[in-house]
Amino acid sequence: MSKFLNNYWYVAANSEELKDRPIARIILGNPIVLFRGKSGKIGALDDRCAHRLTPLSLGRIDGDQLECGYHGWTYDCAGKCVRLPGLETPQKITVKSFPLVEKWGWVFIWMGDPDKADNNTLPDFHVMGEDKWVGDGGMLRVEAHCDLIRDNLLDLTHAKYTHKQTLATEDVDRVPVTAERVGDLVRVKRVMKNIQPSPFFARAVGYTQNIIHRQTTEFTPGCNIVIRLRGNSSPGTSENLKNGFRVLNAMTPETGTSTHYFWWLGRDYNQENTSLTQWMKDANARTFLEDKTVLEGQQRNITSQPTQQPVPSPADKGLTLAAKLTEELLQGEAE
Amino acid sequence: MSKFLNNYWYVAANSEELKDRPIARIILGNPIVLFRGKSGKIGALDDRCAHRLTPLSLGRIDGDQLECGYHGWTYDCAGKCVRLPGLETPQKITVKSFPLVEKWGWVFIWMGDPDKADNNTLPDFHVMGEDKWVGDGGMLRVEAHCDLIRDNLLDLTHAKYTHKQTLATEDVDRVPVTAERVGDLVRVKRVMKNIQPSPFFARAVGYTQNIIHRQTTEFTPGCNIVIRLRGNSSPGTSENLKNGFRVLNAMTPETGTSTHYFWWLGRDYNQENTSLTQWMKDANARTFLEDKTVLEGQQRNITSQPTQQPVPSPADKGLTLAAKLTEELLQGEAE
Amino acid sequence: MSKFLNNYWYVAANSEELKDRPIARIILGNPIVLFRGKSGKIGALDDRCAHRLTPLSLGRIDGDQLECGYHGWTYDCAGKCVRLPGLETPQKITVKSFPLVEKWGWVFIWMGDPDKADNNTLPDFHVMGEDKWVGDGGMLRVEAHCDLIRDNLLDLTHAKYTHKQTLATEDVDRVPVTAERVGDLVRVKRVMKNIQPSPFFARAVGYTQNIIHRQTTEFTPGCNIVIRLRGNSSPGTSENLKNGFRVLNAMTPETGTSTHYFWWLGRDYNQENTSLTQWMKDANARTFLEDKTVLEGQQRNITSQPTQQPVPSPADKGLTLAAKLTEELLQGEAE
């Protein structure tokens, strides 16, 4: 059985990465070249020229086409060879191309069966496209299987231990979660009342007293997590909370032990405060580096002792559901 | 058959390495976390939390316990999980722990059958605990099997060629050794009369003329070597020599091709001269770096051509006995 | 079948590399030590002392002999052990030695059957020894199989795409090549009339207008390429052209995916202009770094997808012949 779900959209790049040069990226184990033509059109091809297998990412963009940097064979965004120096009429030569959709500042790629690629099945990251939500993001390469990042995000009690400097909330592991599966979605919820805000939220909102804080985490396959956070100075109920955050997490497998982790962090208040946006982005990037250390250590141990089974905790409800869902879908793809 | 002897005490760390943070070390192929609790108690555990297999060495010390840096599972020095956030009463969860003995400034670990661990079978490094002997030591990671370091120390003729700047004694390879096995101990002896002292001994003692110099090297398994050196300005007999040195060498396998090499160098004269102690330590550390270069080249050649057999020399008597003894003991453990 | 042709002379080193220290070099997968004795005599031995398999390249040159840096075993240029400390009369101990021929500033080694080593079958690099030709060279380690460098040099159309800053000639891929095999030699020819000279040739000769340019590339096994270039300010015929260049290329396999690439670039005019010699050497070294990038990317792709077949182009005539010749010779050696 494959290590990854194939028939899903994965984030291949931030839109702003595709400028005047092609970029090389390994996605689901395949070396891919991504490029944007002069007209804005984008392409994703096998990163191997048909001629002598040289990486096309070493070449240059020529109009809307990609010219190999070895002998000048030139391909369009669909992978068709449109120029072959020394031949008037190129034969029918192609390199494999991959469907792309550019939306919300991200470029999504479809690595599976191209007949199944449907532009309407993108992960739901629509808040990045709404004026109401303001934020910024980044990409972090993590030397761990994407499922380990999924599990990290589905059990936020780790904030107390892994993120002592940033996200730690003393009460996070005292409040149990609820978890449910709805079709191909797994949802985990936790409402914490009258808690001390974490350093991050205290500064991001300006809290000076205890708060009520609601976390909703939703997993959808391939490997995407949307976290919705909302809080108020307490006391209060969990309805009509004011300050909202969204953390979007798109995990794109590189190999069986590494992931390109794309993320975006937004808020729905103080939208005009650009220095707050910058601070939130920087703080989140530091937080994810703390996760990276833990995840890569975990992967090393799994790699060296692949048969040792984890012991579940009460907070693992959500990730147990997500692992089961992913397993089912992998079996479905294998059949 | 295993690459290492298991049922022996190995040095896991210098006592002073265990301070306020846990340390990670691979010992006999196993990732181990070592830590010292606030009371001074020490523990050695599998470096994998039972929960999600994250390295415990990324966590923090809490009293006499070790808290995982991912979700806060907490273990005592015996590996028992004593706190599991979200559960009032932890289930019976443990990670494997390893017997430890702290003595003479070193922490010894027992990786084999715990029922066979006997605190009275430590290697004999007692001189580190005697006032009469003053010295200092260190640890060097060498990318070579521990047996190659054993062989290096059992044939000191290499000093003339490998340590031209420090330990070279022109006469060392002109004087034959005697070697004997006494039970599980191998002893090699050489007495050199009327020789020019090496640069190291000339400076360490203040010799200005030729000396008599006696070397006794003793190997005991797992992989330990004690070297006793004693000399006098010559002429003289080999009895009642004045200036004594001890080089203690404890080779702890990391993997089949790497070793944590702990050492200590002491003397029994001029004990109050701390700058001499420092100089001797630094000179010895430089000398061992010369060995490291040779040993790692040797290991690379053995790894790339594992079937090529060495050709013995007359000075190999001791190491031939030690190799045979080790082989016998490995077979005994395999049965 | 072997990855390399064995019964051919390969360049092991530049003569000037062999000074007062032995050097280590992996050749056709074998660790070799090369050294020059005090009398000028040179030797190539297995880089493993017979005693404890330590690399002899860590030792020192003693007269015309090589002394191991571990226990002082000493070998002559034929690999015979001539000194074994502690033994009056060394036994018959040898390490494997390899035939060498030093000529034209290069040291050639024979890795195959020593009975077939014939000093009269060196590759024809005689121009390095003629006063008429002045030049200089270097060595570049490339992480690619030697055949990829061979293919690079047998299709010079790549200059237009890979060497935009140096060797690009707009017309190179518009003029077809002729290719022929003559016994164990493959020859590729191209004559370009009335073309704009490349930046390199414009500066090296001082061309200010269009030129006629003739390229002849000859491959001979093991893996050697001689390129003859000659040009004139045009118009003109392809006979009696004035400014001649020679690029000698000797590819010595290190492993199945890496090569020591020795090269020399000479000219037959302006011989006294030493600053031109230096500039040509430096320019060529920069050009070959551009090739290195492409070749190493190509090798990575071949290693990760070894079954994907290249699609030939019209300019591949020469390299197709050379690949076929090499394949035949490999089969011959296998039988």
Side-chain angles (χ1 to χ4, degrees), chain C residues 58-266:
Chain C
L58 298 173
R60 71 182 186 94
I61 295 166
D62 182 17
D64 274 358
Q65 301 165 346
L66 183 58
E67 178 189 275
C68 180
Y70 202 2
H71 303 94
W73 290 29
T74 302
Y75 301 88
D76 66 15
C77 287
K80 188 183 160 197
C81 182
V82 293
R83 192 168 68 238
L84 195 162
L87 272 191
E88 288 294 316
T89 316
Q91 302 140 281
K92 279 192 177 175
I93 293 170
T94 57
V95 296
K96 190 174 177 186
S97 69
F98 299 86
L100 294 178
V101 175
E102 187 165 17
K103 201 158 184 185
W104 310 313
W106 279 350
V107 175
F108 295 83
I109 193 167
W110 184 274
M111 300 296 296
D113 178 353
D115 291 340
K116 297 188 173 161
D118 176 352
N119 294 4
N120 297 314
T121 61
L122 294 182
D124 183 7
F125 297 140
H126 72 276
V127 295
M128 290 200 291
E130 291 189 352
D131 289 346
K132 178 184 164 194
W133 291 93
V134 169
D136 205 344
M139 193 270 276
L140 181 68
R141 189 173 168 278
V142 179
E143 299 207 346
H145 191 285
C146 62
D147 289 352
L148 300 189
I149 309 179
R150 173 198 75 195
D151 295 350
N152 172 291
L153 294 162
L154 283 169
D155 179 5
L156 295 176
T157 61
H158 79 273
K160 180 171 171 180
Y161 303 97
T162 309
H163 307 304
K164 284 190 192 302
Q165 307 306 318
T166 51
L167 287 180
T169 303
E170 185 60 23
D171 300 270
V172 70
D173 60 356
R174 300 204 185 126
V175 181
V177 295
T178 61
E180 59 178 339
R181 173 169 164 188
V182 184
D184 283 357
L185 178 150
V186 170
R187 182 181 294 118
V188 176
K189 272 192 187 171
R190 176 186 274 123
V191 180
M192 296 177 284
K193 294 177 182 169
N194 196 28
I195 63 164
Q196 193 181 348
S198 73
F200 176 85
F201 289 112
R203 173 150 175 192
V205 183
Y207 293 131
T208 56
Q209 46 181 310
N210 275 10
I211 62 168
I212 183 168
H213 196 84
R214 192 178 65 208
Q215 301 171 334
T216 308
T217 307
E218 288 180 353
F219 165 79
T220 50
C223 199
N224 307 295
I225 301 259
V226 174
I227 304 176
R228 304 164 198 233
L229 303 167
R230 203 164 272 284
N232 251 14
S233 290
S234 77
T237 71
S238 64
E239 308 304 316
N240 304 317
L241 297 174
K242 277 196 297 196
N243 301 106
F245 298 87
R246 288 284 187 285
V247 197
L248 310 183
N249 308 273
M251 281 70 79
T252 304
E254 183 189 54
T255 68
T257 56
S258 59
T259 302
H260 288 110
Y261 175 12
F262 294 87
W263 59 270
W264 185 89
L265 168 63

Side-chain angles (χ1 to χ4, degrees), chain A residues 99-131:
Chain A
L100 294 177
V101 174
E102 187 164 15
K103 202 158 181 184
W104 309 312
W106 279 351
V107 175
F108 295 83
I109 194 167
W110 183 274
M111 300 296 295
D113 179 352
D115 292 340
K116 296 190 175 162
D118 176 351
N119 294 6
N120 297 313
T121 60
L122 295 181
D124 183 7
F125 297 141
H126 72 276
V127 295
M128 289 200 292
E130 291 188 354
D131 289 347

Side-chain angles (χ1 to χ4, degrees), chain A residues 134-145:
Chain A
V134 168
D136 206 345
M139 193 270 278
L140 181 68
R141 189 173 168 280
V142 179
E143 299 208 346
H145 191 286

Side-chain angles (χ1 to χ4, degrees), chain A residues 152 162 173 298 301 308 310-311 316, chain B residues 47-48 50-51 53 69-70 85:
Chain A
N152 172 290
T162 308
D173 61 355
Q298 189 186 4
N301 273 346
Q308 187 174 338
V311 174
D316 290 346
Chain B
D47 195 9
R48 278 186 296 274
H51 178 213
L53 315 182
Y70 202 1

Side-chain angles (χ1 to χ4, degrees), chain C residues 14-30:
Chain C
N14 285 302
S15 286
E16 62 190 18
E17 289 185 274
L18 300 186
K19 291 178 178 161
D20 51 352
R21 287 164 182 257
I23 65 168
R25 184 152 290 160
I26 293 173
I27 301 178
L28 277 67
N30 299 280

